[in-house]
């Protein structure tokens, strides 16, 4: 850590008041700050009960559990401490005020602790993104994906790829630099091209899981479409289990898209309510219809609704799957055909629809080990690595140029992990973390 780096402190637990509040400290002045605010320094890496005092007056502020983690065996890689205290605003504010009054101690910015962990080599960018996803996880699938990434699942694979690239480059550069030495072969090893092929296959296989990984992280988007008063908002409410959308007998109530998140089979599903499709002279409604069509194109599945009391419309001809769904079956039973039937009023058919959606997601995107490639940044990095690897394979007759392309491939992967040129990514990434993380 650079000389003069301030020691940072923040509330790391949830909103106050709470049963317990966790205050985190990290930096070179951690030990001194701890000695000033507790009645006795706890043994290293053990959590013990201590009195927490105002260092200026000696007033008792609270009693709580205190732990001290000397560098480098800590989350940030520098001296750290945690205080578990009673979660009242008065207690937490008094302790924070006492700490920041000490020399060299200041309040942490968003993501400051995790950024220090990165700077000290405790986490790379892929692991940090996994940690951020874990903090935001809402479903079982998201939790499993985030934990696998935060624990280095993706980083380990990339480290293996980079090691393979180093080995391949070394052979090419040895051929260039020491071709006149007796212990260096005159040409490439017979399996050189096949080893490049194996590496390409491994990267391409990881890249192929992007869509599955994206859907786990961002959610499976289902757009509800059809003519006005076909029951889209009622179905949205029935699936969500709450009155999240306005439902009236007046046609054209929905003028904009509305997203509602729910978990189906441990998978995040985003239901998108849309404006009814019809000819209209209303500028506001026309804009809503345009946005509805955009929502259909962006969805992973479209439910196209028809009802017995409104004029039906043909389902849209789009690239994503479209299911015909008959609504208001409490009025008239749906005619025989491919359409499923539901009634938002009675609940009839709702569970069957949810089951069919769960099965569709599982069949289309799998339920096995979570895919770790889930961001556009991930996709772009692996595509860039594959492109450089392909150029290297085409240039093997010119070892100098091929070695340069292998270096470019390794550099792409290094930037992906934050080993080089990470500053812009860091600024964007850590700004999304909460204070105290």
């Amino acid at each position: 850590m650079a000389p003069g780096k301030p020691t940072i402190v923040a509330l790391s637990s949830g909103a106050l008041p709470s049963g317990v509040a966790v205050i985190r400290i990290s930096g070179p002045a951690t030990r001194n700050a701890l000695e000033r605010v507790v009645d006795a320094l706890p043994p290293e890496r053990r959590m013990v009960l201590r009195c927490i005092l105002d260092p200026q007056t000696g007033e008792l502020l609270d009693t709580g559990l205190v732990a001290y983690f000397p560098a480098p065996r800590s989350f940030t890689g520098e001296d750290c401490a945690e205080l578990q205290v009673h979660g009242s605003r008065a207690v937490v504010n008094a302790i924070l005020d006492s700490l920041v009054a000490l020399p060299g101690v200041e309040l942490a910015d968003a993501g400051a602790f995790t950024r220090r962990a990165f700077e000290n080599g405790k986490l790379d960018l892929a692991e940090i993104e996994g940690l951020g996803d874990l903090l935001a996880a809402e479903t079982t699938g998201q939790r499993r994906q985030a934990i696998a990434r935060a624990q280095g699942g993706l980083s380990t694979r990339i480290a293996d790829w980079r090691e393979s690239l180093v080995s391949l480059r070394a052979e090419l550069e040895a051929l260039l630099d020491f071709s006149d030495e007796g212990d260096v072969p005159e040409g490439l090893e017979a399996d050189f091209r096949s080893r490049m092929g194996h590496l390409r296959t491994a990267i391409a296989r990881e890249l192929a899981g992007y869509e599955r990984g994206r859907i786990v992280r961002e959610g499976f988007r289902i757009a509800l479409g059809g003519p006005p008063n076909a029951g889209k908002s009622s179905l949205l409410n029935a699936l969500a289990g709450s009155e999240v959308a306005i439902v009236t007998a007046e046609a054209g109530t929905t003028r904009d898209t509305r997203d509602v998140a729910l978990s189906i089979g441990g998978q995040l599903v985003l239901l998108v309510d849309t404006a009814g499709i019809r000819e209209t002279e209303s500028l506001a409604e026309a804009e809503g219809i345009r946005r509805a069509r955009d929502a259909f194109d962006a969805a992973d599945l479209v439910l196209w609704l028809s009802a017995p009391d409104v004029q039906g419309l043909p389902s849209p001809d789009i690239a994503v799957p479209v299911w015909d769904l008959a609504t208001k079956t409490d009025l008239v039973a749906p005619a025989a055909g491919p359409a499923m039937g539901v009634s938002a009023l009675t609940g009839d058919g709702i569970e069957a629809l949810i089951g069919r959606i769960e099965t569709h997601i599982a069949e289309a995107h799998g339920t096995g080990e979570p895919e770790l490639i889930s961001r556009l940044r991930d996709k772009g990095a692996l595509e860039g690595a594959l492109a450089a690897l392909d150029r290297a394979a085409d240039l093997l007759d010119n070892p100098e140029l091929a070695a340069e392309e292998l270096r470019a491939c390794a550099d792409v992967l290094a930037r992906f992990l934050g080993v080089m040129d990470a500053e812009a990514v860091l600024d964007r990434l850590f700004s999304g973390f909460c204070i105290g993380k």
Side-chain angles (χ1 to χ4, degrees), residues 321-342:
V322 180
W323 293 357
D324 290 327
L325 184 66
T327 60
K328 305 182 185 179
T329 58
D330 52 288
L331 298 180
V332 178
M340 293 184 66
V342 296

Side-chain angles (χ1 to χ4, degrees), residues 120 352 389 400 406:
N120 289 318
L389 200 56
E400 187 172 4
L406 291 179

Side-chain angles (χ1 to χ4, degrees), residues 37-353:
V37 299
V38 300
D39 54 351
L41 190 72
E44 295 179 1
R45 308 182 66 79
R46 287 182 57 194
M47 185 164 281
V48 295
L49 185 66
R50 288 289 185 262
C51 293
I52 301 168
L53 311 171
D54 185 317
Q56 306 299 325
T57 66
E59 175 191 359
L60 178 66
L61 301 177
D62 196 14
T63 57
L65 297 174
V66 179
Y68 173 53
F69 306 93
R73 297 177 63 199
S74 70
F75 173 70
T76 63
E78 56 190 11
D79 286 354
C80 283
E82 288 191 0
L83 289 72
Q84 292 191 9
V85 299
H86 295 98
S88 80
R89 291 185 178 87
V91 167
V92 170
N93 289 339
I95 295 173
L96 290 177
D97 289 344
S98 296
L99 286 168
V100 298
L102 298 173
V105 181
E106 62 183 41
L107 290 173
D109 293 327
F113 293 94
T114 309
R115 183 159 191 157
R116 292 193 178 196
F118 170 80
E119 292 170 346
N120 289 318
K122 289 292 183 176
L123 298 170
D124 61 40
L125 280 184
E127 292 167 337
I128 289 169
E129 287 170 332
L131 179 59
D133 289 343
L134 182 60
L135 295 175
E138 297 179 347
T139 66
T140 300
Q142 289 178 323
R143 174 185 57 78
R144 292 176 60 233
Q145 181 187 66
I147 287 177
R149 183 157 175 157
Q151 291 185 335
L154 180 59
S155 303
T156 300
R157 295 175 198 179
I158 293 176
D160 290 343
W161 300 341
R162 293 180 68 204
E163 187 175 338
S164 297
L165 286 166
V166 168
S167 176
L168 293 168
R169 282 182 60 198
E171 289 188 35
L172 283 174
E173 290 170 2
L175 186 67
L176 289 168
D177 296 338
F178 306 108
S179 57
D180 56 344
E181 301 290 338
D183 57 348
V184 176
E186 293 185 2
L188 294 172
E189 296 289 344
D191 67 342
F192 187 91
R193 191 178 289 275
S194 68
R195 282 188 288 139
M196 285 187 66
H198 290 320
L199 177 59
R200 191 195 189 285
T201 298
I203 297 175
R205 184 185 303 118
E206 200 70 35
L207 180 60
Y210 165 73
E211 194 62 23
R212 284 180 58 194
R214 178 196 66 79
I215 285 174
V216 170
R217 181 175 175 271
E218 297 179 2
F220 186 86
R221 298 186 67 85
I222 300 178
L224 309 181
N229 270 1
K232 296 182 293 298
S233 296
S234 296
L235 178 61
L236 181 79
N237 290 341
L239 292 171
S242 62
E243 299 294 319
V244 294
I246 297 173
V247 177
T248 71
E250 180 184 352
T253 303
T254 302
R255 297 294 182 92
D256 203 350
T257 60
R258 178 187 179 90
D259 293 3
V260 175
L262 65 154
S263 177
I264 295 181
Q267 164 71 51
L268 176 64
V269 173
L270 298 176
L271 297 175
V272 186
D273 192 14
T274 66
I277 306 300
R278 67 174 178 179
E279 295 294 328
T280 180
E281 295 182 359
S282 165
L283 294 179
E285 190 175 359
E287 176 61 18
I289 292 170
R290 185 193 67 78
R291 295 186 184 187
R293 297 187 188 281
D294 288 344
F296 301 154
D297 291 331
D300 299 298
L301 172 68
V302 173
L303 300 183
W304 191 254
L305 278 57
S306 61
D309 57 347
V310 297
Q311 180 67 41
L313 290 175
S315 57
D317 183 14
I318 53 179
V320 302
V322 180
W323 293 357
D324 290 327
L325 184 66
T327 60
K328 305 182 185 179
T329 58
D330 52 288
L331 298 180
V332 178
M340 293 184 66
V342 296
S343 169
L345 180 64
T346 66
D348 183 50
I350 297 296
E351 288 301 319
L353 175 61

Side-chain angles (χ1 to χ4, degrees), residues 27-41:
T30 296
R31 182 187 177 103
N32 176 65
L34 208 55
E35 289 174 335
R36 297 286 302 277
V37 299
V38 300
D39 54 351
L41 190 72

